[in-house]
């Protein structure tokens, strides 16, 4: 399908990258008593130094997670001091005023950790993200170890949070919302997540109860900030799964910066470990760049661009899956003919301008465009036989099928095309009035989507065609009686949709930090509004508007124990995106209403010392009451909506997470989650939702060998109880409530860091050129657990029995990795 829209041309130059370190960045403009910039101010701390330029601007990198005293001194002015305590990779702005008549001494510690604790945000160290061993590395693999966050497919970067689905999570990069492909139906087709971890400076995550300034989704917020370079650097990584290169640079006058990353991914190592033998030729690649231009102390301009191309070429050959019990083993043997050819191309560009009128008033202007063209073409013919397995150990046919209980074939066909253009324009403001902070924003969005879906499936068993389960057709009693009804496909979806959606949304919120006696208190209250209308060929939807008030309060008592208590909640609406408007048959319902959730979260954040090392225990209890729910089915990673607000639901649970230095100098955590979510469709009664995952355990553990500290170990372990996804996607959920088996997975990585002893090496040594150089060895699915994502349903025409044959995910896989950073 051809697009009529011409977007933009991306220019890439000044390639650069810098190693992640346990540091933070403080920057700002130094002024005198007349609010004029001061040049040549020395900005120092015990191990660092910089000076302000002619505009009074300075940048200083300081150690993270510790109190650092910064001294501002000038020959004609009195010096000033400030104590800061910042998170790893945090970017903090501080604009001091130097006076001529008195020395300034600050006894206030700037500690942004308290602010994030009050907002219910969890900060993730980018260095931990890069080191985490995972079949699909990135921010999402780290999130899946958190309580309340689930993902039962290591080939997918998608995740669900506290009973929500994949479409209910907000993802921002530099305050710009990013999107995922529309037509993806299998995790192995996804390729690369949008976020390039080589470019990340800061990651914050909220699993619920977030503020009004974040958008209109029901479940979570992932807020990512890309790094502004401080100098030239480069990095590269290569493994059996692909590679990446990133470089960064800064202009001599410090006004221009750029960081650019190129990634390539090949999942054939993982997919070839599955039971289906195939010819698999994937190609996933993207280029991402981030420019900043700071012409003055008041203005900063930036551009974020991304071009990605995912090609998925798949030709299955054969498959054998053994299932059943020890006493009654069964095998499914399949021979395939045909292939699948999918392609997803996306172009994304965003301009952002920040204008700081003064130290109390900031304005932001953001414009972005996202364009995707997607195709999904396949014709796959499968001939199967279902039989009993020979279990006689001494037999020559041990493990082979002795007797076939059922034979049949299946033909799947698709010619699906989608072309989508999404354009956004947004303005924001932040105002500081004494202890109060006022934030507001308005955003216009235009979505133009052209979609053609043509897919059908024909199934026969022992030569007899199977009728679809949801149509009133004559009873098929073959082979005992002849069938006289019409021959129709088992599934058949055909539709062409041209849809436009215009949206206008905005928010306003108030925040304040105060004291009640000796106790610190944070207040936040705000409201969001969202208006939208759907139109298109033969479509005229009514204009709809939602209002979402939200509030929170956090208290840090003046106790010996370092605790923060937080209560947050409000109304959360999710106005329908295109996929939520399209029903099971491909037709668009323009009047689908926004799903609504009343959300309340009670949390406790307890920081303490154990073994003379820092630890933190975060506990959150939550309840969500949902109305106007749009029911859906979940098959692998494809979501198919009913496009009807005919259900209500709830989700409730408890999340616990303990993190800290279990091993000195490293951060690890343990998490536990309990969650129950059910829905009531058409008042038939409450049943489990497709994401009802009762128990969750997650571990991320870092260690090193005491005698060889250059050898590091990273362990990622996840256990989730089974999802209710074992029944056919077309089945009535009230008739089938089968669950998949529990998901158990452990990935481990070993790394030998050659640069660990660089401090002891003489100048001129070749390793001194590197900030990091390491060799890694990874084992995915360490214990070779058989995890299933769906079931293939096979019917025995004679007995009328149906067998759910598990579709297993990847087995144990080994990987080698080389990383280098200058």
């Amino acid at each position: 399908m051809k697009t009529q829209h011409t977007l933009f041309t991306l220019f890439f130059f000044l390639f650069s990258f810098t190693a992640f370190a346990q540091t933070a960045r403080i920057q700002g403009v130094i002024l005198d008593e007349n609010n004029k910039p001061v040049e040549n101010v020395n900005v120092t701390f015990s191990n660092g130094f910089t000076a302000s330029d002619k505009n009074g601007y300075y940048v200083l990198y300081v150690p993270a997670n510790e109190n650092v005293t910064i001294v501002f001194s000038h020959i004609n002015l009195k010096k000033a001091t400030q104590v800061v305590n910042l998170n790893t990779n945090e970017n903090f702005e501080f604009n001091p005023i130097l006076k001529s008549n008195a020395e300034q001494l600050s006894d206030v510690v700037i500690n942004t950790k308290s602010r994030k604790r009050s907002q219910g945000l969890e900060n993730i160290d980018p260095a931990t993200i890069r080191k985490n061993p995972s079949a699909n590395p990135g921010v999402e693999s780290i999130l899946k170890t958190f309580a309340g966050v689930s993902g039962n497919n290591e080939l997918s970067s998608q995740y669900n949070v506290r009973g929500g689905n994949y479409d209910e999570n907000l993802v921002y990069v530099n305050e710009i919302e990013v999107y995922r492909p529309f037509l993806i139906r299998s995790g192995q087709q996804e390729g690369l997540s949008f976020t390039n971890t080589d470019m990340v400076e800061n990651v914050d995550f909220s699993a619920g109860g977030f503020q009004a300034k974040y958008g209109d989704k029901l479940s979570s917020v992932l807020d990512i900030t890309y790094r502004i370079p401080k100098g030239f650097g480069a990095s590269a990584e290569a493994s059996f799964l692909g590679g990446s290169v990133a470089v960064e640079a800064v202009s001599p006058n410090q006004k221009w910066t750029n960081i650019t990353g190129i990634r390539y991914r090949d999942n054939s190592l993982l997919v070839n470990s599955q039971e289906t033998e195939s010819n698999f030729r994937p190609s996933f690649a993207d280029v991402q760049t981030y420019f900043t231009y700071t012409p003055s102390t008041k203005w900063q301009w930036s551009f974020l661009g991304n071009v990605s191309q995912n090609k998925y070429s798949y030709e299955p050959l054969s498959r054998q899956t053994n299932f059943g019990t020890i006493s009654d083993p069964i095998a499914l043997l399949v021979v395939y003919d045909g292939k699948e050819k999918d392609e997803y191309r996306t172009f994304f560009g965003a301009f952002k301008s920040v204008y700081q009128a003064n130290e109390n008033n900031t304005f932001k202007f953001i414009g972005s465009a996202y364009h995707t063209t997607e195709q999904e073409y396949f014709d796959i013919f499968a001939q199967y036989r279902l039989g009993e397995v020979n279990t006689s150990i001494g037999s020559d046919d041990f493990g082979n099928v002795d007797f076939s209980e059922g034979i049949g074939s299946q033909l799947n066909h698709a010619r699906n095309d989608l072309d989508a253009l999404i354009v956004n324009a947004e303005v924001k403001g932040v105002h500081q009035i004494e202890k109060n902070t006022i934030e507001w924003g308005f955003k216009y969005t235009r979505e133009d989507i052209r979609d053609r879906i043509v897919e059908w499936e024909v199934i026969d068993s022992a030569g007899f065609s199977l009728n679809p389960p949801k149509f009133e057709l004559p009873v098929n009693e073959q082979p005992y009686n002849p069938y006289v009804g019409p021959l129709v496909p088992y599934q058949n979806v055909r539709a062409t949709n041209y849809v436009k959606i215009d949206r206008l949304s905005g928010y306003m919120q108030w925040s304040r930090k105060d004291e009640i006696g000796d106790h610190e208190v944070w207040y936040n209250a705000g409201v969001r509004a969202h208006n939208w209308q759907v139109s298109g060929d033969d479509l005229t939807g009514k204009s709809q508007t939602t209002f979402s008030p939200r509030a929170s309060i956090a208290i840090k008592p003046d106790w010996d124990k370092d605790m923060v208590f937080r209560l947050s909640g409000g109304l959360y609406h999710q106005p329908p995106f295109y996929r939520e408007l399209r029903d099971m048959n491909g037709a668009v319902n323009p009047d689908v209403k926004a799903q609504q959730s009343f959300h309340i979260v009670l949390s406790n954040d307890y920081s303490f010392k154990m073994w003379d090392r820092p630890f933190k225990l975060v506990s959150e209890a939550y309840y969500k009451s949902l109305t106007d729910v749009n029911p859906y089915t979940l098959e692998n990673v494809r979501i198919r909506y009913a496009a009807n607000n005919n259900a209500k639901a709830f989700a409730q649970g408890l999340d616990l997470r303990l993190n800290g230095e279990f091993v000195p100098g490293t951060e690890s955590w343990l998490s536990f989650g309990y969650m129950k979510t059910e829905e009531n469709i058409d008042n038939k009664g409450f049943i489990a939702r497709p994401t009802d995952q009762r128990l969750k355990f997650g571990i991320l553990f870092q260690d090193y060998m005491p005698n060889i500290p250059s050898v590091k170990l990273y362990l990622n372990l996840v256990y989730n109880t089974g999802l209710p996804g074992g029944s056919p996607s077309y089945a009535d959920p009230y008739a089938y409530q089968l669950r998949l088996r529990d998901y158990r997975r452990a990935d481990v990585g070993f790394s030998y860091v050659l640069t660990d002893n660089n401090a002891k090496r003489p100048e001129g040594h070749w390793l001194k050129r590197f900030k990091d150089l390491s060799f890694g060895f990874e084992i995915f699915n360490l214990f070779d657990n058989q995890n299933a994502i769906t079931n293939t349903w096979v019917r025995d025409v004679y007995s009328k029995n149906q067998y759910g044959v598990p579709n297993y995910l990847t087995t144990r896989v080994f990987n080698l990795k080389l990383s280098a950073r200058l």
Side-chain angles (χ1 to χ4, degrees), residues 681-740:
I681 304 174
D682 291 328
N683 292 319
K684 295 179 182 178
F686 281 94
I687 58 172
R689 303 192 79 193
T691 53
D692 181 41
Q693 198 155 51
R694 295 299 173 87
L695 295 178
K696 160 71 181 285
F697 295 92
I699 296 176
L700 189 141
F701 186 74
Q702 302 184 56
D703 198 359
Y704 56 84
M705 295 181 64
N707 296 328
I708 315 176
S710 295
V711 178
K712 318 290 185 182
L713 177 143
Y714 309 95
L715 175 66
N716 185 334
L717 190 149
V718 173
Y719 170 82
N720 298 327
T721 54
L723 288 168
S727 54
S729 60
Y730 53 80
D732 181 354
Y734 282 88
Y736 296 90
Q737 279 287 288
L738 301 178
R739 287 184 180 264
L740 296 167

Side-chain angles (χ1 to χ4, degrees), residues 262-549:
I262 302 174
R263 297 181 294 171
Y264 173 78
R265 177 80 175 176
D266 183 344
N267 273 348
S268 57
L269 177 69
L270 296 168
V271 176
N272 288 337
S273 73
Q274 296 178 300
E275 291 182 328
T276 301
E277 295 184 10
S278 62
N279 293 323
F280 181 65
R281 296 177 299 277
S283 176
F284 309 134
D286 83 336
V287 180
Q288 218 166 123
T289 189
Y290 177 47
F291 285 97
T292 65
Y293 173 56
T294 309
S296 68
T297 57
K298 291 184 177 293
W299 282 99
Q300 183 184 77
W301 301 79
S302 63
F303 170 74
L304 175 63
N306 176 70
V307 177
S308 68
Q309 178 173 276
N310 293 351
K311 290 185 176 180
Y312 179 81
S313 181
Y314 180 65
E315 185 179 354
L317 302 176
S318 63
R319 164 186 173 180
Q320 177 172 341
T321 301
N322 296 327
F323 63 104
T325 63
I326 295 177
S327 60
D328 185 22
I330 304 174
L332 173 69
L333 289 86
V334 187
V335 176
Y336 296 95
D337 191 15
K339 62 182 178 181
E340 178 175 357
K341 185 178 181 181
D342 304 334
E343 185 171 352
Y344 313 93
R345 293 182 180 179
T346 61
F347 302 86
F348 176 83
F351 287 94
K352 178 181 176 182
S353 177
V354 179
Y355 174 64
Q356 183 148 5
N358 50 54
E359 61 181 3
N360 294 322
N361 297 281
T362 303
F363 299 91
K364 301 175 183 180
F365 309 92
I366 302 172
S368 66
Y370 173 81
H371 182 214
T372 180
T373 58
E374 305 175 19
Q375 73 171 36
E376 185 181 45
Y377 293 175
F378 58 79
D379 287 284
I380 297 179
F381 179 60
Q383 295 176 299
Y384 70 87
R385 63 189 181 106
L386 188 71
E388 298 178 358
V389 179
N390 187 326
T391 57
S392 241
I393 296 178
S395 172
D396 294 336
D397 294 327
F398 175 73
N400 295 329
V401 174
D402 279 344
F403 173 75
S404 293
E405 297 179 352
I407 60 173
S409 61
Q410 176 177 327
L411 175 60
N412 285 283
H413 168 91
R415 293 293 184 273
N416 300 330
D417 293 277
L418 184 138
D419 189 324
L421 175 65
I422 303 173
V423 180
N424 297 282
E426 186 174 11
V427 59
K428 295 182 176 182
V430 181
H431 310 282
Q432 193 71 38
I433 306 173
E434 296 181 348
K435 293 183 179 181
N436 304 290
T437 301
I438 305 297
E439 298 177 69
W440 56 268
F442 297 99
K443 180 180 180 181
Y444 170 73
T445 302
R446 170 77 166 187
E447 299 166 9
D448 189 346
I449 298 166
R450 304 180 176 194
D451 179 28
R452 183 192 70 180
I453 178 171
V454 178
E455 61 180 60
W456 47 261
E457 177 183 25
V458 176
I459 304 176
D460 81 76
S461 180
F464 303 103
S465 177
L466 298 186
N467 287 331
K470 292 188 175 181
F471 291 92
E472 295 297 330
L473 295 171
V475 177
N476 187 345
E477 297 182 347
Q478 297 180 87
Y480 307 105
N481 295 305
Y483 175 66
V484 295
L487 294 178
V488 295
Y490 196 70
Q491 295 188 73
N492 187 17
V493 180
R494 296 173 183 268
T496 300
N497 300 310
Y498 297 92
V499 177
K500 295 180 176 64
I501 308 175
D502 292 285
R503 303 181 188 272
L504 184 63
S505 60
Y507 69 90
M508 180 172 287
Q509 69 174 40
W510 161 80
S511 303
R512 178 182 175 91
K513 180 185 176 184
D514 212 334
E515 294 82 27
I516 299 179
D518 294 327
H519 310 301
E520 296 181 53
V521 184
W522 291 266
Y523 305 96
N524 176 270
V527 63
R528 288 192 65 86
H530 192 126
N531 173 270
W532 74 98
Q533 185 170 17
V534 180
S535 61
D537 291 1
D538 301 321
L539 292 174
T540 304
K542 62 184 179 182
S543 177
Q544 302 184 59
T545 304
T546 61
F547 295 93
S548 306

Side-chain angles (χ1 to χ4, degrees), residues 730-754:
Y730 53 80
D732 181 354
Y734 282 88
Y736 296 90
Q737 279 287 288
L738 301 178
R739 287 184 180 264
L740 296 167
R741 61 176 63 189
D742 295 353
Y743 182 85
R744 299 163 296 168
R745 187 173 180 88
D747 298 327
V748 65
F750 302 90
S751 180
Y752 181 70
V753 184
L754 281 73

Side-chain angles (χ1 to χ4, degrees), residues 144-147 656-658 669-673 696-699:
K144 292 176 184 179
T145 65
F146 280 32
L656 303 172
R657 180 169 174 258
L658 174 66
W669 60 73
L670 311 171
S671 63
F672 165 77
K696 160 71 181 285
F697 295 92
I699 296 176

